[in-house]
Amino acid sequence: LLKVRSGTSLSDALAEAPRYFPPLYVSLVRAGEASGHLGPSLAELATMRERTEALRSKLNSALIYPVVLLLTALGAVTVLLTVVVPRMEPMFANAGAALPTSTRIVVAAADLVREQGLLLLAVLAAVLFLGERLLRRPGPRRTFDRWVLRLPLIGPLLRDRMTAQLCRGLATCLGGGLDLPQALGVSRDILGNLHARAVMDDVITRVRTGRTVADSLAQGAILTPLAVKMLRVGEESGRLQPVAAHLATTFEERVATRLQRLVAIIEPATVIVLGFVVGGIVMSILTAVLSVNELAL
């Protein structure tokens, strides 16, 4: 506020605080100032922000239950291996009989967790740390991002989310007064996938040389074919901005629907896997106990 009062433009003042105002915000405000339509630009920015936060809230809400379920499963298995099984081992040892194969596997796993648990945790933490550091490098991160897009269930979901983000940014930028190459450049920065960003660089270059957006995006193959077809219709009819806005809304809803379906698959799958693991541990213990009792009789 003080900088604006001292004569600095609003866009320049926002650019000096990149932690709170991303390049997209600054570009839209600067375009609004240059065109004399700052109010509509801010309105477009507010709309995009609201929809982005709404989609992020849906994603976070849908992932809470699977994460809690997974943590519960890990906790249950840990308690069985570190508390229950060790208490049963003396009885198995005093019986003097050969234990069933499943029981020997469970006892070996319990011994490994109890004796080498801290080492395993340290190794896991080191692997995660090194992986996180490796993914900070552009080359490995771009390869990883390209690979993630090819996964069976996660890939289509991420592709739909990128489509929603790119179309929302494109519609907002065009509505805020930016020209097409600038709008594509600002929309590119919204994407978190480095492979998609690299593809968008090529798309922007093709657009600057006279190619259409739809043809350039089709060659990049980062958006869904339906979105590319709709953008082509928008270009040919001169309604690229409203078509992009409609696509953004459609794919935001599609992402929420796909995520709900994915969670609906993950939840029972996690319960089934947990049932097999916990049930297998319990059954192996009960089998050994029954074997010991039969020998005692």
Side-chain angles (χ1 to χ4, degrees):
L1 181 59
L2 294 177
K3 292 179 181 179
V4 173
R5 287 180 175 176
S6 63
T8 304
S9 65
L10 178 59
S11 58
D12 291 338
L14 297 180
E16 295 181 8
R19 179 180 178 184
Y20 303 101
F21 303 103
L24 171 63
Y25 295 10
V26 177
S27 298
L28 284 175
V29 172
R30 182 171 288 118
E33 290 175 334
S35 62
H37 296 86
L38 181 58
S41 296
L42 293 176
E44 289 283 346
L45 182 58
T47 300
M48 189 200 71
R49 178 70 178 180
E50 290 173 357
R51 293 186 178 275
T52 301
E53 289 300 323
L55 180 59
R56 184 176 301 171
S57 177
K58 290 180 180 179
L59 294 176
N60 292 336
S61 299
L63 292 176
I64 288 177
Y65 181 72
V67 171
V68 172
L69 193 61
L70 180 61
L71 293 177
T72 303
L74 293 176
V77 173
T78 302
V79 170
L80 286 173
L81 294 179
T82 58
V83 178
V84 178
V85 175
R87 292 185 178 181
M88 306 296 294
E89 286 188 42
M91 182 180 67
F92 298 153
N94 295 332
L99 297 176
T101 303
S102 60
T103 307
R104 292 200 301 270
I105 294 175
V106 171
V107 170
D111 292 339
L112 178 64
V113 172
R114 187 173 64 254
E115 296 174 1
Q116 306 293 337
L118 294 178
L119 178 61
L120 292 176
L121 287 176
V123 171
L124 178 61
V127 170
L128 293 177
F129 176 76
L130 292 177
E132 190 270 339
R133 298 290 296 183
L134 183 64
L135 290 178
R136 288 187 178 184
R137 302 175 61 182
R141 176 63 184 275
R142 181 177 175 181
T143 302
F144 176 79
D145 288 346
R146 185 190 304 115
W147 173 78
V148 167
L149 292 177
R150 297 175 181 175
L151 294 178
L153 294 177
I154 303 298
L157 177 63
L158 294 178
R159 197 177 298 275
D160 284 351
R161 176 164 169 74
M162 282 198 308
T163 301
Q165 289 177 323
L166 185 62
C167 290
R168 178 63 62 194
L170 184 61
T172 303
C173 291
L174 292 177
L178 297 181
D179 60 28
L180 186 55
Q182 286 179 321
L184 289 172
V186 174
S187 301
R188 167 201 174 277
D189 296 334
I190 302 176
L191 304 178
N193 189 295
L194 291 189
H195 170 66
R197 287 191 177 189
V199 171
M200 285 302 300
D201 289 336
D202 296 334
V203 169
I204 295 170
T205 301
R206 296 190 190 101
V207 171
R208 291 185 185 277
T209 57
R211 298 282 298 276
T212 64
V213 175
D215 291 339
S216 302
L217 289 173
Q219 188 171 350
I222 58 173
L223 301 187
T224 60
L226 174 61
V228 175
K229 292 179 181 179
M230 293 297 294
L231 289 175
R232 178 175 287 109
V233 172
E235 280 187 295
E236 294 174 353
S237 62
R239 293 174 50 83
L240 183 58
Q241 192 272 338
V243 169
H246 176 71
L247 282 173
T249 302
T250 300
F251 277 90
E252 286 168 357
E253 296 174 355
R254 185 170 171 175
V255 167
T257 303
R258 277 185 178 269
L259 186 61
Q260 291 176 355
R261 292 176 180 174
L262 182 61
V263 171
I265 295 174
I266 292 176
E267 290 177 3
T270 305
V271 172
I272 292 173
V273 172
L274 173 61
F276 273 112
V277 174
V278 175
I281 295 174
V282 173
M283 287 301 298
S284 65
I285 296 174
L286 291 178
T287 302
V289 171
L290 293 175
S291 300
V292 171
N293 290 338
E294 289 177 0
L295 289 175
L297 294 177

